[in-house]
Amino acid sequence: MRQIFFDTETTGLNPESGDRVVDIGCVEMVNRQLTGRHLHFYLNPERDMPEEAFRVHGLSSEFLSDKPKFAQVVDELLEFLRGADLVIHNAAFDVGFINAELKRAKRELLHEVVASVTDTLLMARDMFPGKANSLDALCRRLEVDNSNRELHGAVKDAELLAEVYIRLTRGQDSLVIDDSDTSSPGQGGELEVAAIDLSSFQLPVLTATEEELALHEKVLAELDKASGGNRIWKAPAAESAAA
């Protein structure tokens, strides 16, 4: 499976009112392995850069003035995306802007080019209902290092999204890192696991020292005092005496 992690930066929030794409970042993954292939464009939006947008991504009108226009890179972009699974955080935003650019360039729309679009924002809302699910929040929750993300940038955000997606779609308790190559001829693609007799293992038993037992009793006494004698868990000896 070929997936492209995709992000854009823009001059604003509404392509219908004339806002344009100024930064496009694509990061490729094949069979859950990042390939190292990236596609990145800074674009001349052919308009001014509002101060609010500049504070988000730091791309000024001066910096973008000598960059290519969308129409000059559209064919290379579509070729890179064609047939892939697109993975986007808040897909409606990026798809809306790219489709507006594609219409302006008189090209086919995104859904006619890619195989599918996966929205990781919707995935995260299902997995973490009621919690913040911005890309930064997911990086913190899933322990993805975003310490050098001072400003938004399409390629950097696409790279972070790839790491977030891998963690969202693979349980941390899985012992199988990647099962795409586990099949072999004559096995029908099934993974065989050898049975292990655990009865042969001898587990050590560590006995508490007198000092550790005394400290334990002290903690229990403090719990009794704090709860007014209503501690739910009781030592077996105490339960026997009470009976």
Side-chain angles (χ1 to χ4, degrees):
M1 177 191 295
R2 181 172 181 261
Q3 293 171 294
I4 302 294
F5 296 91
F6 185 85
D7 188 60
T8 65
E9 300 298 336
T10 67
T11 63
L13 301 176
N14 188 358
E16 300 303 321
S17 64
D19 282 318
R20 302 291 299 272
V21 175
V22 297
D23 190 8
I24 297 175
C26 307
V27 174
E28 182 185 64
M29 184 167 76
V30 177
N31 294 331
R32 296 186 63 82
Q33 299 292 325
L34 293 171
T35 65
R37 289 188 67 202
H38 293 51
L39 188 68
H40 180 219
F41 299 111
Y42 287 123
L43 300 172
N44 182 347
E46 304 177 79
R47 55 154 292 171
D48 64 314
M49 179 65 66
E51 181 62 28
E52 314 87 77
F54 175 75
R55 286 198 296 267
V56 172
H57 49 60
L59 301 176
S60 66
S61 297
E62 292 75 19
F63 173 77
L64 297 170
S65 62
D66 62 347
K67 302 302 183 285
K69 299 172 184 178
F70 183 84
Q72 294 173 272
V73 305
V74 61
D75 292 329
E76 186 179 355
L77 175 65
L78 292 180
E79 183 61 27
F80 191 80
L81 299 180
R82 194 170 302 279
D85 247 336
L86 231 56
V87 183
I88 310 174
H89 199 69
N90 191 15
F93 179 88
D94 298 272
V95 170
F97 264 95
I98 290 297
N99 276 342
E101 296 287 357
L102 290 171
K103 286 179 183 177
R104 196 175 285 113
K106 296 181 171 54
R107 296 296 199 278
E108 53 200 316
L109 298 183
L110 205 55
H111 69 274
E112 302 174 79
V113 176
V114 302
S116 65
V117 175
T118 298
D119 190 340
T120 50
L121 178 60
L122 300 182
M123 288 175 59
R125 285 173 176 170
D126 284 340
M127 296 178 71
F128 310 111
K131 295 186 178 181
N133 287 304
S134 67
L135 185 57
D136 278 334
L138 290 175
C139 285
R140 289 191 296 272
R141 189 173 304 138
L142 299 172
E143 299 181 351
V144 174
D145 182 11
N146 66 338
S147 56
N148 61 349
R149 188 191 186 228
E150 296 179 3
L151 294 172
H152 289 236
V155 166
K156 180 61 180 175
D157 287 359
E159 290 173 337
L160 290 173
L161 181 59
E163 296 296 334
V164 164
Y165 176 83
I166 289 170
R167 286 162 172 76
L168 281 175
T169 56
R170 183 176 68 209
Q172 295 301 304
D173 57 349
S174 173
L175 297 179
V176 180
I177 295 176
D178 185 357
D179 62 358
S180 59
D181 296 319
T182 55
S183 61
S184 57
Q187 292 183 336
E190 296 182 358
L191 181 66
E192 295 184 1
V193 181
I196 300 175
D197 182 7
L198 298 179
S199 64
S200 61
F201 288 90
Q202 297 296 322
L203 298 179
V205 177
L206 302 179
T207 304
T209 65
E210 291 296 326
E211 183 181 0
E212 289 170 335
L213 289 172
L215 289 172
H216 180 61
E217 290 300 325
K218 182 180 178 182
V219 171
L220 294 182
E222 290 172 353
L223 289 174
D224 271 331
K225 182 178 179 181
S227 65
N230 293 320
R231 176 165 53 90
I232 296 175
W233 178 80
K234 304 285 185 181
E239 290 177 344
S240 300

